[in-house]
Amino acid sequence: MIVTQSLEKYESFQMRVQPLLEIIYDEPTVKTLLKQIFALLQDYSSDFHEENLNKWSQDNILLITYGNSLQKRGETPLVTLKNFLEKYLKDTITGVHILPFFPYSSDDGFSVIDYLRVNPQLGDWEDIKNIANQFDLMSDLVINHISSQSDWFQQFQRGEKPGCDYFITVDPKTDLSAVVRPRSTPVLTPVDTPSGEKHVWATFSADQIDLNFANPNVLLEFIKIILIYIEEGAKYIRLDAVGFLWKEIGTSCIHLPPTHAVVKLLRELVQLVNPHVVLITETNVPNRENLSYFGNRNEAHMIYNFSLPPLLLHALLQGKSDYLKTWMMSMPPAPLGCAYFNFTASHDGIGLRPTEGLLSEQEYYTMLETMQQFGGKVSMRKKPDGSESPYELNISLFDAMKGTIKGEDKWQVQRFLCSQTVMMSLEGIPAFYIHSLLATPNDYYKLKLTGRNRSINRSELDLNELEDKLSHPHSPQSIVFRELCRRIQIRRRQTAFHPNATQYTLQLKPSLFGFWRQSIIRDQSIFCIFNLTDRPQLLQLSELNLVCTDPWCDLISGEKVDDIYSCLTLHPYQALWLTNKF
């Protein structure tokens, strides 16, 4: 009986996994891999699970932070983070994305030396588990590349197994002009080995060496890593830079079919082990390419909404919703079992590639110039023809809201709150970068210290100094933090803000941006209306077609609507959540 059950389980596993492996590897490799992967999964799950379509609700709110974004003398950073979360955000957020917390050699964590150790400067696995016990944990899987100081790459340099077979070597005379690059550094890096100099593939930097997934043992290594992360409490697995995973000479080496097959495979395996775990892809690319990672609702559970940050920034700088509205009307609802991951700022800059084909050239460059006037930087990437083009804006989002294209003004706090309220109102799951939640300005000291543009928005804050600012009711940090927490807590109670609730773009005048959300069971509607300008704007409620039999109220201000045919005046950057259920 046990043998029969085991056979049936294997056959079910084989039916789900084999077709995906066949896209990636040849038949003999697939047969071996199936047995190896099946054996791995047995150690982590006695029962295989079916898909869970209820992974999230309107209650899910995430925080994005480095493990050492907050620091306190005499305390390890992960302990400091846990204490801050418990004291200030226990009733506000439900999950936390701790950016790579492993030993690393560069790129603030994204050049991982050891995937299975916690950076001792941050803490240990016990500290990670303590946070994961109270908040849903998102863990990075830096899957495309590894540090040149890792054991695997050191083995490569010595000609030892297994690392000697884990990397991609290419003749430097090979034409790689078709390869899509996110950086301006050379794609190949020379390395000395016992058999002479070799050139290894390095998409991001000479310290971040790409792994060779054409070797099935590399895939097995990462399956083992994912299973350990899940066992350690991760509820979200973030696939960093996954679009570059597979290489084929003569192609763009981005979004290739085997890459999509790997994502599909990992989704299947995660689902079999723990159906509550979410796989999220990080692909900072034009919108259509990004959407492809939903697959046919069989790839990522969530994808980053990368076009939102630059388009929302543009709308608030220009005081008009045209491009933001056009993009939003073109966005399909997330497929069943999938969701958008909404954000406006992160540890990286504001990506510019997601604006390709969405902004006019003139307004695109006006946005860049305005950000530079507000103290920001522009990072470049190398294009296939050898030329360079802007890749991302590096600036604190709070300082990006200093003014408009007309210059700095007095509306920074209100404009910033408006931007965050738009983000948390949209279809999807909202995520707040810690330095947005805390209204952190540009960090010129760290920028000068590292010489890296991204450091401008990667501050390491002294907790005592931060708490002093938060305790002063009139400081920008206190005002923003308290009001955002209040609005987040209101949002979490509204069924119309379920990540998959209906969303419909409203056709209002350009100075306003609006959309309608309706709960899945249709018991609540919320009209989300935003004044994108520094001037009062009139809203004719008759444009919204409010149901006359229902009472209506703005959840943010608490004001009730007595006459659904009246006219409301929206103050500069005011946000409305008009609902029939409160």
Side-chain angles (χ1 to χ4, degrees):
M1 182 68 175
I2 295 175
V3 174
T4 302
Q5 289 177 341
S6 180
L7 180 61
E8 290 176 352
K9 188 176 181 181
Y10 180 77
E11 288 175 346
S12 173
F13 162 81
Q14 182 181 27
M15 182 176 65
R16 296 168 69 164
V17 172
Q18 183 170 334
L20 301 174
L21 288 175
E22 288 175 343
I23 298 172
I24 312 169
Y25 303 111
D26 60 28
E27 185 177 347
T29 302
V30 169
K31 287 183 178 180
T32 303
L33 263 179
L34 277 170
K35 295 175 182 177
Q36 291 172 312
I37 296 172
F38 184 76
L40 280 177
L41 266 57
Q42 297 307 293
D43 294 335
Y44 290 89
S45 176
S46 57
D47 298 307
F48 286 166
H49 303 278
E50 294 302 315
E51 184 175 9
N52 173 21
L53 297 177
N54 299 299
K55 287 184 173 70
W56 44 67
S57 73
Q58 66 276 5
D59 197 43
N60 294 101
I61 307 285
L62 272 77
L63 177 76
I64 304 168
T65 180
Y66 278 103
N68 63 350
S69 291
L70 302 176
Q71 300 187 2
K72 184 176 181 180
R73 186 181 296 275
E75 201 170 71
T76 56
L78 287 174
V79 170
T80 302
L81 175 62
K82 173 181 173 291
N83 292 339
F84 180 84
L85 295 176
E86 288 178 341
K87 182 176 180 180
Y88 292 97
L89 293 172
K90 189 174 182 180
D91 298 323
T92 303
I93 67 164
T94 58
V96 57
H97 173 198
I98 307 177
L99 292 154
F101 45 80
F102 316 104
Y104 70 95
S105 55
S106 64
D107 199 16
D108 288 343
F110 285 91
S111 186
V112 178
I113 294 175
D114 187 340
Y115 292 99
L116 300 181
R117 285 200 305 126
V118 174
N119 184 348
Q121 294 181 356
L122 298 178
D124 54 30
W125 276 115
E126 192 64 29
D127 296 320
I128 294 294
K129 284 184 176 180
N130 287 339
I131 293 173
N133 286 338
Q134 298 187 58
F135 301 91
D136 293 339
L137 173 68
M138 181 184 292
S139 178
D140 282 282
L141 185 67
V142 185
I143 195 169
N144 177 72
H145 50 264
I146 194 169
S147 168
S148 64
Q149 296 181 26
S150 65
D151 285 346
W152 290 346
F153 195 68
Q154 296 297 309
Q155 290 165 1
F156 173 85
Q157 289 182 291
R158 295 192 300 265
E160 298 172 358
K161 288 187 176 296
C164 65
D165 300 322
Y166 281 8
F167 300 93
I168 304 164
T169 59
V170 181
D171 185 329
K173 297 177 183 178
T174 304
D175 181 7
L176 299 177
S177 60
V179 175
V180 170
R181 300 301 315 291
R183 300 287 185 272
S184 295
T185 53
V187 69
L188 298 180
T189 294
V191 179
D192 291 326
T193 73
S195 55
E197 184 180 70
K198 294 185 178 180
H199 289 76
V200 294
W201 200 294
T203 297
F204 288 87
S205 78
D207 183 51
Q208 295 166 288
I209 315 300
D210 288 39
L211 290 144
N212 183 13
F213 276 82
N215 180 346
N217 290 322
V218 173
L219 175 66
L220 281 173
E221 295 277 15
F222 277 90
I223 292 173
K224 293 175 188 175
I225 293 166
I226 287 178
L227 293 174
I228 291 171
Y229 288 179
I230 294 173
E231 188 175 47
E232 295 292 345
K235 294 291 178 64
Y236 301 85
I237 304 293
R238 177 183 182 270
L239 302 181
D240 177 68
V242 69
F244 300 97
L245 181 141
W246 196 268
K247 281 78 176 176
E248 289 180 16
I249 305 299
T251 74
S252 64
C253 295
I254 187 170
H255 316 315
L256 298 183
T259 294
H260 285 283
V262 169
V263 178
K264 291 174 185 176
L265 172 68
L266 296 181
R267 173 171 170 146
E268 282 290 347
L269 300 182
V270 163
Q271 189 169 285
L272 288 169
V273 173
N274 186 336
H276 302 293
V277 172
V278 174
L279 202 67
I280 176 169
T281 51
E282 187 266 341
T283 51
N284 192 354
V285 293
N287 198 47
R288 185 178 296 274
E289 298 172 35
N290 189 36
L291 287 168
S292 71
Y293 282 86
F294 276 143
N296 185 19
R297 60 169 299 266
N298 60 352
E299 288 192 44
H301 296 104
M302 295 199 305
I303 64 171
Y304 278 74
N305 214 340
F306 274 113
S307 294
L308 174 61
L311 289 177
L312 181 55
L313 174 62
H314 169 270
L316 287 162
L317 291 176
Q318 294 279 354
K320 61 181 184 179
S321 61
D322 306 54
Y323 292 102
L324 184 63
K325 184 167 63 176
T326 299
W327 162 76
M328 188 160 161
M329 288 189 294
S330 72
M331 287 292 283
L336 180 67
C338 301
Y340 291 108
F341 188 73
N342 294 328
F343 72 110
T344 52
S346 73
H347 61 290
D348 289 340
I350 298 171
L352 294 171
R353 288 206 67 206
T355 66
E356 291 178 12
L358 299 177
L359 289 180
S360 72
E361 184 174 356
Q362 180 181 349
E363 295 195 20
Y364 173 85
Y365 282 103
T366 298
M367 180 169 69
L368 268 58
E369 290 168 5
T370 305
M371 290 301 94
Q372 290 173 311
Q373 291 171 15
F374 295 168
K377 303 293 180 181
V378 178
S379 293
M380 310 296 284
R381 73 179 182 96
K382 185 168 288 186
K383 298 167 70 175
D385 62 5
S387 63
E388 290 191 335
S389 65
Y391 175 68
E392 69 181 16
L393 292 169
N394 302 112
I395 189 170
S396 145
L397 188 65
F398 185 63
D399 274 1
M401 298 291 168
K402 279 183 177 180
T404 67
I405 58 171
K406 296 178 291 186
E408 295 186 25
D409 58 28
K410 64 180 182 180
W411 300 106
Q412 182 179 17
V413 168
Q414 292 83 352
R415 188 181 293 112
F416 182 77
L417 288 171
C418 180
S419 74
Q420 300 308 285
T421 310
V422 171
M423 183 271 287
M424 75 170 93
S425 307
L426 291 166
E427 175 194 346
I429 296 173
F432 294 84
Y433 186 40
I434 192 167
H435 293 304
S436 294
L437 204 58
L438 298 173
T440 307
N442 291 333
D443 191 334
Y444 298 113
Y445 173 76
K446 190 170 184 182
L447 174 65
K448 183 178 180 180
L449 193 67
T450 68
R452 298 191 298 269
N453 287 350
R454 285 179 169 178
S455 295
I456 200 170
N457 194 29
R458 295 181 177 180
S459 295
E460 296 165 9
L461 303 176
D462 178 271
L463 183 61
N464 291 331
E465 293 178 7
L466 172 63
E467 289 188 320
D468 184 58
K469 291 177 181 177
L470 294 179
S471 68
H472 287 76
H474 301 299
S475 73
Q477 287 70 35
S478 178
I479 294 170
V480 167
F481 185 71
R482 284 185 287 108
E483 182 59 17
L484 281 182
C485 287
R486 186 183 78 87
R487 294 186 188 189
I488 291 169
Q489 290 165 11
I490 294 171
R491 181 206 184 277
R492 288 178 58 181
R493 299 192 293 268
Q494 314 309 318
T495 56
F497 283 139
H498 186 284
N500 301 113
T502 298
Q503 179 171 284
Y504 180 80
T505 308
L506 300 175
Q507 300 304 312
L508 305 174
K509 57 186 178 182
S511 56
L512 299 176
F513 179 54
F515 48 92
W516 171 66
R517 303 293 309 278
Q518 185 182 58
S519 62
I520 294 172
I521 60 173
R522 300 184 180 183
D523 67 329
Q524 183 187 36
S525 289
I526 299 179
F527 289 88
C528 307
I529 316 290
F530 308 92
N531 181 356
L532 301 179
T533 75
D534 56 6
R535 299 175 301 281
Q537 297 292 330
L538 296 179
L539 171 68
Q540 295 289 342
L541 290 179
S542 58
E543 295 183 67
L544 305 183
N545 293 319
L546 302 179
V547 178
C548 62
T549 56
D550 291 343
W552 293 89
C553 175
D554 172 27
L555 292 168
I556 295 176
S557 67
E559 294 183 8
K560 293 183 180 180
V561 175
D562 297 321
D563 181 0
I564 64 169
Y565 301 105
S566 63
C567 181
L568 294 183
T569 299
L570 273 70
H571 303 300
Y573 304 106
Q574 183 178 350
L576 294 179
W577 282 342
L578 290 176
T579 185
N580 61 339
K581 183 180 179 182
F582 49 92

